[in-house]
Amino acid sequence: MARLSDRAFTLLAAEVKRLSPSPLEQARRSIVLRRLEKFRLQEGPPLTEADIREAVIDIFPEFSAKVIRQAARANRRADQKRKLGILGTAAVGVAALAGGIWVLNLPYPMIRIPVSRTAPILLLPSFISMDSNYRQATSLVEQSDQLINNATSPQDIELGAEKVAAAHKRLDRLPVWFLGYYPRAYCTWVTCSWRFTYDEFESARKAIGRMEAKVFQETNAQTTLEAGVAQVEAAKQVHATATTLQAEQSALGDWQAGMDKLAEISPDTYAGKNAQTKLQAYQRDYQQVAGIAAGGTRSNTLLGAALDFATTAVNESQNPPYSAETWDRIAGLWASAIAQLQSIPIEDPGYNQAQQKLAKYQNNLGIVQEKAEAERTSVEALQQAKQMTTQLLDLNGLTANQIAGRIQDIIIELDKVQPGTTVYAEAQELRKFALQKHTEMLGQS
């Protein structure tokens, strides 16, 4: 390339002419222009700003520094364009060569087979790629198998899934039509430890397929495990802070639903093995908590039933007196209430409350039973007094003292009738009449 570009020469020549307009300046002008023309025709490194200044400043000390800088810049740009042009030409050549090799290495039998017979060296990129993909695929299949089928953590499954995907890509890059082909020329230069066979390729494909299915199962199992564990843990937290029976029952239902999810996970998966361990612990805690809850439910049910019997007994006891049969029925209600309370086991939460009510109910039962007994005794005494009165009226020839003695016996029998019984009022009327007759008989004696 010329050391001074045309653009730089034009700028410098214009400045020289401007500085030497007179014919008398012709000598100076010719000297500088010849120098510049010589640089223009000379091949070599481009002139720098210092070189240009040295070439003109001795003849034209007043030469414009600005023009020198512009000429130097124009010179540099011209050099850069030249270099870019060379690089572009080289790039085009390399691209054309690469494109040709790329075409020859396309994965089509009609291209590769003829090339492999006549110029196998041109298929070197394909051989290198096949060798690399084969080695990588084999290694990745082995790593995937170890990580997935012998997993020790969910992270192993995740990493195994990545290895399976990478192995799949490597196998996809192996040309199926090349199975069984052995690049002798390539393997003469590079030690090949492989030979593509259809059986080997299919075996690797099937192994990858099985592991992809395994990863899918493991992923689903892990998702179910995490969902089940989260549901159980949330239910345990809700149950621990529940303030009502309804909230406790709802939490137990969620707890059971979470355990059902864990039970659905296949034990053949890594997540399934973890699920079985967690399920045993959850079931143990559930049985303990559910037992307490069941006891509380049982206690509440029995306490409620006892209260119903007691309430009915109280209502039936209003506005006495009643017959002995009625008192017996009321006593039966209290007995039923007591039986409900006595059915509550000592381990149930309502046991202490039941014992407190039991003492009161048993006392009420005793009172009712006493009233029933008093009713029966009073009725019998009144009947006996009436019978004695009838017998006295049927007797004749008795003295006044004898009649008074018989009446006294009737009064004693009437005194057996207790207050608050159904026959007390009648007994009092009859006693009043008996006392009057007794007084009269004593007066006649």
Side-chain angles (χ1 to χ4, degrees), residues 184-431:
R184 294 179 178 84
Y186 173 76
C187 290
T188 300
W189 307 322
V190 180
T191 302
C192 295
S193 60
W194 49 271
R195 179 180 178 85
F196 296 119
T197 64
Y198 185 80
D199 291 339
E200 183 181 11
F201 185 80
E202 283 299 306
S203 177
R205 281 286 191 189
K206 290 178 181 179
I208 289 298
R210 287 192 300 270
M211 283 185 283
E212 285 178 335
K214 181 74 171 177
V215 167
F216 180 78
Q217 294 174 349
E218 290 285 356
T219 302
N220 287 343
Q222 185 64 30
T223 301
T224 305
L225 172 63
E226 292 173 356
V229 169
Q231 186 170 4
V232 171
E233 293 296 336
K236 289 174 67 177
Q237 183 66 28
V238 171
H239 185 273
T241 57
T243 57
T244 64
L245 178 61
Q246 183 178 3
E248 290 183 359
Q249 295 296 328
S250 177
L252 288 176
D254 291 340
W255 192 333
Q256 183 62 58
M259 292 192 298
D260 289 342
K261 289 182 180 179
L262 298 181
E264 294 173 358
I265 302 175
S266 172
D268 295 332
T269 61
Y270 173 78
K273 296 174 183 177
N274 286 344
Q276 292 301 313
T277 302
K278 291 183 177 294
L279 185 59
Q280 292 177 1
Y282 288 154
Q283 286 176 336
R284 181 182 63 249
D285 295 343
Y286 179 84
Q287 290 172 358
Q288 181 179 0
V289 173
I292 296 175
T297 302
R298 180 171 57 242
S299 297
N300 291 336
T301 301
L302 293 174
L303 284 169
L307 181 61
D308 290 340
F309 282 117
T311 301
T312 304
V314 171
N315 292 335
E316 291 291 327
S317 300
Q318 301 298 320
N319 303 318
Y322 295 114
S323 65
E325 290 77 11
T326 300
W327 286 121
D328 287 340
R329 188 177 71 255
I330 294 172
L333 293 172
W334 284 115
S336 296
I338 291 170
Q340 298 297 320
L341 297 177
Q342 290 175 335
S343 299
I344 299 176
I346 190 172
E347 64 272 10
D348 281 7
Y351 178 77
N352 291 334
Q353 184 181 358
Q355 293 302 305
Q356 294 174 2
K357 290 183 176 294
L358 187 60
K360 181 179 179 181
Y361 288 4
Q362 286 177 333
N363 182 65
N364 292 342
L365 174 61
I367 293 174
V368 171
Q369 288 175 337
E370 289 175 358
K371 289 183 177 182
E373 183 62 25
E375 181 68 22
R376 276 189 286 269
T377 301
S378 298
V379 170
E380 291 177 359
L382 179 60
Q383 291 176 350
Q384 183 64 25
K386 287 181 177 181
Q387 185 177 0
M388 292 171 65
T389 301
T390 302
Q391 291 176 353
L392 178 60
L393 294 174
D394 292 338
L395 293 175
N396 295 317
L398 297 176
T399 63
N401 286 334
Q402 291 176 331
I403 293 174
R406 294 290 182 94
I407 292 175
Q408 182 63 40
D409 292 336
I410 293 173
I411 292 173
I412 293 172
E413 197 66 30
L414 289 174
D415 286 340
K416 295 179 181 179
V417 177
Q418 300 180 25
T421 60
T422 58
V423 295
Y424 181 73
E426 184 181 358
Q428 290 301 307
E429 290 292 331
L430 186 56
R431 185 176 184 278

Side-chain angles (χ1 to χ4, degrees), residues 24-37:
L24 299 176
E25 300 289 334
Q26 181 67 32
R28 288 202 304 165
R29 180 170 54 189
S30 297
I31 293 172
V32 174
L33 289 178
R34 282 198 299 272
R35 289 179 182 177
L36 296 178
E37 185 66 29

